[in-house]
C-alpha cells in the first residue's frame, strides 16, 4: 500500500510537471507569435512610406518630363540619387525586422557576397558625412591601405555595423576628427573608427554593447535622447554572426576607438539575383552544390537566404528545370507548391525524366498566402515601375484600371507611373471597399489593383466575392483581373491557409535507410510540437485516434 501511494504521488507530480511544461511551451509559442506579429506590423508600417519615397524618386529620375517646368540641375539629380540610395538601404533593413523576429538558435540568415571592403567603407563614410554638415569643425577621414583583401560578408549588415559606430561618433564629437581605418592583421581584417569625443567611462565600457545601454554622463542627456541604445547591440550581433569580434577602447576627455575584426576564412557565397548560366557553371565546377527551383514568384531570394550553402537557380517550369538539373549536376529540383506539378499531385522523377530527387512543397512566400484562386497576380511593396508594367503586360487587352488602396500617396504614385509612360489606360481609383464596389458596378474594369487591407472589407474577401460572382457587375462586363497589392511579407500571421504538404520523390526509389531516416526526422520534428498542444483527456483521445 505504501508503495502504491508513493507511485500515485510520483505519477501526480510527474503529470503536474508535464502540464506545467506544456503550459510554459504554449506561453513561449504565444510570445513568439506576438513578437512575429509585432515585427510584421512594424515592417508593414515602414515599408509603405518607403515605397512611396522610392517610387517617386524613380519617377523623377526616369520620367522627369512628367514634372513640367522643373529645372533639373545636376545638384538636384545628385541629391535625388543620394535620397534614393539611403531609402533603398532602409527598405532592405526593413526586411531584416522579420528575420530578427524569427531568430532561432542565434542563427540569422546572411547574404554573403565576395565584397571589396574599400568601396563599402567609402560609401559608408560618404553617408555618415551628411551627419557633420552642421559641424564644420569636425573632420571625417578614411585611411585605406593598398591591397586590402576581399571578404565573404553580408555587405548590407557590415555597412550597418560601421554606420552605427560612425553615427555615434558624429553625434558625440564636437571638434577634432573622426578617422576610419582598415588593415589586415593575420587572419583578420580590422576596421577601426577613432574619434576625439568625450570618451566613455570604465563602467560604461563593460556594458556599452548591451541592449538599451547608453553612456551615463548627465551632460550628454540631450544627445542620448537621439538614440535608443540598440545600435551597438545590433552591431555586435551582426559581427558575431560573421565569426568576427567587436570591442572598444576609450579615455575620458580624449575620445574612443571602436574595432571590428572580420575573419578572412573563405565562406561560400549565396547568390541573390538569378545568375548568368556561365557563372553558375563556374560555381558548380568549384564544388558549390546547386538546387533548381521551379517558381513563378520571389521564392528564389527566400531560399538563397535560408539555404546559404547552396546555389539556387530558378526555372520557370519543370521542362526547363530538367535541362538545368542535367547541365548543372544539381542536387535536387524543388517545386514551389503543388500547382506546378503534373496532374496536381505526386509523380515520380522518372516520369518527368529527372535525374535527381524531386521535392514539392509550398514555400512561405507571398504568392502562396493568397486564398486559392482568389487573385490572378500579386505585388509586394515596394513596387517599381518595371514590376508594375510587367504585371499589367499579362493583361494585354486591358483598357480600364481601378486602383483600390487606402493610401492616397500610393494611388498617386501608381497614377504617376502609368501617366509617365504615356499608357492608354483609363485610370480610376477608390480609397475604401464601398467605393471600390460602386466603381466596379458602374462600368467595366479590366484590371483591379486591390489592397489586401482595404478599409470596410478585407481584400481577400472582396476578391473571393468577385471570383465567385457574388458581386453584380455591369451587363456584359467580364470579371476583372485581380492583382493583390500588399506591404506584408511572408509570416505565419499572413497565411490564409496553412502549408499542408511536403512531397519527396526520388529516381530509382528510396532505399530502406533513406525511408527510415526521413520517418525518424519527421517524427522528431513534429512530435514535440504536437505534444505541447495536447494535455489531459485531449492527449488520451488523440492517442486513441492515432492508434
Amino acid at each position: 500500500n505504501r508503495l502504491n501511494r508513493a507511485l500515485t504521488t510520483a505519477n501526480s507530480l510527474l503529470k503536474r510537471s508535464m502540464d506545467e511544461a506544456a503550459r510554459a511551451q504554449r506561453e513561449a509559442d504565444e510570445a513568439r507569435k506576438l513578437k512575429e506579429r509585432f515585427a510584421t506590423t512594424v515592417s508593414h508600417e515602414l515599408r509603405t512610406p518607403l515605397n512611396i519615397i522610392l517610387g517617386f524618386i524613380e519617377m523623377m529620375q526616369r520620367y522627369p518630363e512628367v514634372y513640367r517646368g522643373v529645372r533639373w540641375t545636376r545638384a538636384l539629380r545628385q541629391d535625388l540619387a543620394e535620397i534614393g540610395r539611403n531609402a533603398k538601404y532602409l527598405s532592405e533593413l526593413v526586411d531584416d525586422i522579420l528575420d530578427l523576429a524569427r531568430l532561432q538558435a542565434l542563427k540569422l540568415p546572411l547574404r554573403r557576397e565576395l565584397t571589396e571592403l574599400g568601396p563599402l567603407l567609402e560609401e559608408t563614410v560618404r553617408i555618415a558625412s551628411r551627419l557633420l554638415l552642421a559641424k564644420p569643425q569636425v573632420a571625417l577621414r578614411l585611411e585605406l591601405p593598398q591591397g586590402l583583401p576581399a571578404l565573404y560578408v553580408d555587405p548590407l549588415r557590415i555597412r550597418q555595423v560601421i554606420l552605427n559606430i560612425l553615427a555615434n561618433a558624429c553625434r558625440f564629437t564636437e571638434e577634432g576628427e573622426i578617422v576610419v581605418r582598415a588593415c589586415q592583421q593575420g587572419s583578420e581584417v580590422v576596421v577601426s573608427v577613432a574619434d576625439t569625443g568625450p570618451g566613455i567611462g570604465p563602467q560604461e565600457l563593460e556594458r556599452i554593447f548591451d541592449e538599451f545601454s547608453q553612456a551615463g554622463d548627465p551632460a550628454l542627456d540631450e544627445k542620448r535622447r537621439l538614440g535608443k541604445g540598440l545600435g551597438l547591440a545590433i552591431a555586435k550581433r551582426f559581427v558575431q554572426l560573421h565569426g568576427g569580434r567587436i570591442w572598444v577602447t576609450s579615455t575620458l576627455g580624449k575620445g574612443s576607438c571602436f574595432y571590428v575584426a572580420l575573419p578572412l576564412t573563405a565562406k561560400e557565397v549565396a547568390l541573390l539575383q538569378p545568375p548568368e548560366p556561365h557563372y553558375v557553371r563556374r560555381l558548380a565546377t568549384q564544388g558549390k552544390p546547386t538546387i533548381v527551383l521551379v517558381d513563378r514568384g520571389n521564392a528564389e531570394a527566400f531560399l538563397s537566404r535560408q539555404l546559404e550553402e547552396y546555389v539556387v537557380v530558378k526555372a520557370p517550369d519543370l521542362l526547363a528545370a530538367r535541362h538545368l538539373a542535367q547541365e548543372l549536376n544539381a542536387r535536387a529540383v524543388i517545386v514551389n507548391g503543388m500547382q506546378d506539378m503534373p496532374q496536381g499531385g505526386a509523380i515520380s522523377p522518372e516520369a518527368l525524366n529527372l535525374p535527381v530527387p524531386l521535392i514539392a512543397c509550398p514555400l512561405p512566400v507571398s504568392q502562396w498566402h493568397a486564398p486559392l484562386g482568389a487573385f490572378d497576380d500579386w505585388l509586394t511593396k515596394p513596387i517599381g515601375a518595371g514590376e508594375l508594367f510587367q504585371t499589367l503586360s499579362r493583361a494585354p487587352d486591358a483598357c480600364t484600371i481601378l486602383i483600390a488602396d487606402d493610401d492616397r500617396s500610393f494611388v498617386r504614385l501608381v497614377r504617376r507611373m502609368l501617366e509617365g509612360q504615356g499608357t492608354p489606360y483609363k485610370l480610376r481609383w477608390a480609397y475604401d471597399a464601398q467605393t471600390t464596389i460602386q466603381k466596379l458596378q458602374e462600368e467595366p474594369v479590366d484590371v483591379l489593383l486591390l489592397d489586401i487591407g482595404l478599409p470596410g472589407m478585407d481584400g481577400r474577401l472582396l476578391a473571393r466575392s468577385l471570383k465567385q460572382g457574388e458581386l453584380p457587375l455591369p451587363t456584359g462586363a467580364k470579371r476583372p483581373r485581380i492583382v493583390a497589392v500588399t506591404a506584408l511579407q511572408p509570416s505565419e500571421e499572413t497565411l490564409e491557409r496553412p502549408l499542408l504538404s511536403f512531397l519527396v520523390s526520388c529516381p530509382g526509389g528510396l532505399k530502406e535507410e533513406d525511408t527510415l531516416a526521413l520517418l525518424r526526422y519527421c517524427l522528431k520534428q513534429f512530435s514535440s510540437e504536437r505534444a505541447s498542444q495536447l494535455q489531459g483527456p485531449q492527449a488520451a483521445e488523440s492517442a486513441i485516434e492515432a492508434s
Side-chain angles (χ1 to χ4, degrees):
N1 289 335
R2 285 196 301 269
L3 179 59
N4 286 334
R5 286 195 298 269
L7 287 175
T8 301
T9 302
N11 286 333
S12 299
L13 292 175
L14 179 60
K15 184 179 182 302
R16 185 186 306 171
S17 299
M18 294 178 63
D19 291 343
E20 291 176 353
R23 190 179 303 110
Q25 180 66 36
R26 288 195 302 272
E27 292 175 355
D29 291 340
E30 184 64 24
R32 175 183 58 81
K33 291 178 181 179
L34 287 173
K35 183 175 69 173
E36 290 189 6
R37 188 176 299 115
F38 171 77
T40 301
T41 303
V42 171
S43 64
H44 173 273
E45 295 301 322
L46 291 176
R47 187 176 285 107
T48 299
L50 284 173
N51 177 64
I52 303 300
I53 296 171
L54 288 170
F56 276 111
I57 289 175
E58 181 185 15
M59 285 296 303
M60 294 175 189
Q61 292 176 329
R62 296 181 60 179
Y63 312 110
E65 63 276 5
V66 174
Y67 303 90
R68 298 178 178 86
V70 177
R71 183 169 175 265
W72 296 96
T73 64
R74 182 178 180 182
L76 179 58
R77 291 180 181 273
Q78 289 176 343
D79 290 346
L80 282 175
E82 190 69 29
I83 295 172
R85 278 193 296 269
N86 285 274
K88 185 177 180 182
Y89 170 65
L90 289 175
S91 180
E92 292 171 343
L93 286 180
V94 167
D95 293 332
D96 291 334
I97 296 176
L98 293 180
D99 288 332
L100 287 168
R102 295 171 178 170
L103 192 61
Q104 294 180 358
L106 297 180
K107 180 174 177 59
L108 183 69
L110 296 177
R111 298 182 177 183
R112 296 185 189 271
E113 303 175 19
L114 185 61
T115 303
E116 294 291 341
L117 198 58
L120 186 145
L121 291 176
E122 291 173 358
E123 180 183 5
T124 306
V125 169
R126 184 171 62 253
I127 294 173
S129 64
R130 302 278 180 168
L131 302 175
L132 295 175
L133 293 178
K135 296 181 178 182
Q137 67 276 18
V138 180
L140 177 58
R141 295 190 293 111
L142 174 63
E143 298 180 0
L144 293 176
Q146 296 292 331
L148 201 63
L151 300 175
Y152 285 100
V153 295
D154 185 330
L156 176 67
R157 292 191 170 107
I158 294 301
R159 180 173 61 174
Q160 183 183 1
V161 169
I162 306 301
L163 194 58
N164 282 343
I165 297 174
L166 275 173
N168 289 336
C170 294
R171 185 188 310 163
F172 291 103
T173 304
E174 298 297 336
E175 60 181 11
E177 62 178 4
I178 302 171
V179 184
V180 181
R181 300 182 177 90
C183 63
Q184 181 177 352
Q185 297 182 3
S187 59
E188 296 177 322
V189 171
V190 179
V191 180
S192 63
V193 179
D195 62 61
T196 55
I200 305 171
Q203 294 180 347
E204 282 76 24
L205 280 177
E206 298 179 358
R207 54 186 180 86
I208 192 67
F209 294 105
D210 295 340
E211 294 181 355
F212 303 104
S213 175
Q214 295 176 313
D217 188 351
L220 304 176
D221 280 346
E222 183 177 353
K223 297 183 178 64
R224 288 167 54 201
R225 294 192 195 103
L226 299 176
K228 301 299 182 183
L230 286 173
L232 292 178
I234 294 175
K236 180 180 179 180
R237 171 166 258 175
F238 284 162
V239 172
Q240 290 176 337
L241 287 171
H242 284 84
R245 301 175 295 128
I246 183 170
W247 70 97
V248 59
T249 59
S250 182
T251 303
L252 281 175
K254 294 185 178 181
S256 307
C257 186
F258 285 82
Y259 299 88
V260 175
L262 299 171
L264 289 174
T265 305
K267 302 288 185 181
E268 297 292 349
V269 181
L271 297 179
L272 302 183
Q273 301 296 332
E276 296 296 330
H278 69 277
Y279 187 47
V280 174
R281 293 191 193 98
R282 181 166 64 84
L283 285 175
T285 56
Q286 294 176 351
K288 181 82 170 183
T290 304
I291 55 177
V292 179
L293 172 66
V294 180
D295 176 59
R296 298 190 300 267
N298 57 358
E300 182 183 9
F302 170 79
L303 279 187
S304 295
R305 288 172 65 87
Q306 304 296 332
L307 305 180
E308 187 185 6
E309 64 275 19
Y310 292 93
V311 172
V312 180
V313 182
K314 184 178 177 179
D317 50 45
L318 283 168
L319 180 61
R322 182 178 65 197
H323 294 308
L324 281 174
Q326 293 172 342
E327 180 182 1
L328 303 176
N329 191 25
R331 291 285 183 87
V333 171
I334 300 178
V335 180
N336 182 13
M338 297 296 180
Q339 296 175 358
D340 285 321
M341 292 291 292
Q343 302 174 355
I347 190 168
S348 65
E350 287 92 341
L352 299 175
N353 197 20
L354 285 175
V356 296
L358 174 69
I359 302 173
C361 62
L363 296 173
V365 291
S366 56
Q367 279 76 6
W368 299 105
H369 291 174
L372 186 60
F375 296 102
D376 300 296
D377 218 326
W378 191 284
L379 286 172
T380 302
K381 298 176 183 178
I383 300 169
E387 187 179 4
L388 176 62
F389 293 133
Q390 182 181 5
T391 301
L392 295 178
S393 67
R394 301 188 185 109
D397 299 329
C399 297
T400 303
I401 298 177
L402 175 59
I403 310 167
D405 198 302
D406 62 324
D407 190 335
R408 296 172 182 263
S409 298
F410 178 75
V411 173
R412 182 183 176 192
L413 172 61
V414 174
R415 290 170 53 197
R416 286 286 193 188
M417 288 180 176
L418 296 175
E419 293 169 356
Q421 281 287 82
T423 55
Y425 297 119
K426 179 181 179 181
L427 300 181
R428 308 182 69 198
W429 51 90
Y431 303 119
D432 55 59
Q434 183 178 0
T435 308
T436 301
I437 295 174
Q438 290 177 355
K439 291 184 179 293
L440 285 170
Q441 295 175 341
E442 288 174 358
E443 63 177 286
V445 172
D446 299 310
V447 177
L448 172 61
L449 299 179
L450 180 60
D451 181 17
I452 293 295
L454 198 62
M457 178 185 292
D458 184 82
R460 296 178 179 85
L461 180 59
L462 178 57
R464 192 182 294 113
S465 299
L466 279 172
K467 281 281 185 144
Q468 296 175 355
E470 298 175 359
L471 291 179
L473 298 177
T475 304
K478 297 181 180 180
R479 180 188 60 80
R481 181 178 179 84
I482 307 174
V483 180
V485 179
T486 179
L488 292 177
Q489 288 293 307
S491 72
E492 292 181 0
E493 284 70 37
T494 60
L495 287 175
E496 176 71 15
R497 63 188 190 280
L499 310 180
L500 298 175
S501 59
F502 191 96
L503 168 68
V504 180
S505 300
C506 186
L510 293 170
K511 298 179 181 179
E512 179 181 349
E513 55 269 25
D514 297 331
T515 303
L516 293 176
L518 289 172
L519 285 174
R520 290 191 182 97
Y521 180 80
C522 289
L523 293 171
K524 180 180 178 181
Q525 180 71 17
F526 301 121
S527 60
S528 59
E529 178 181 354
R530 179 63 176 165
S532 66
Q533 298 173 354
L534 302 175
Q535 63 173 348
Q538 185 181 1
E541 294 174 4
S542 178
I544 294 173
E545 294 174 0
S547 63

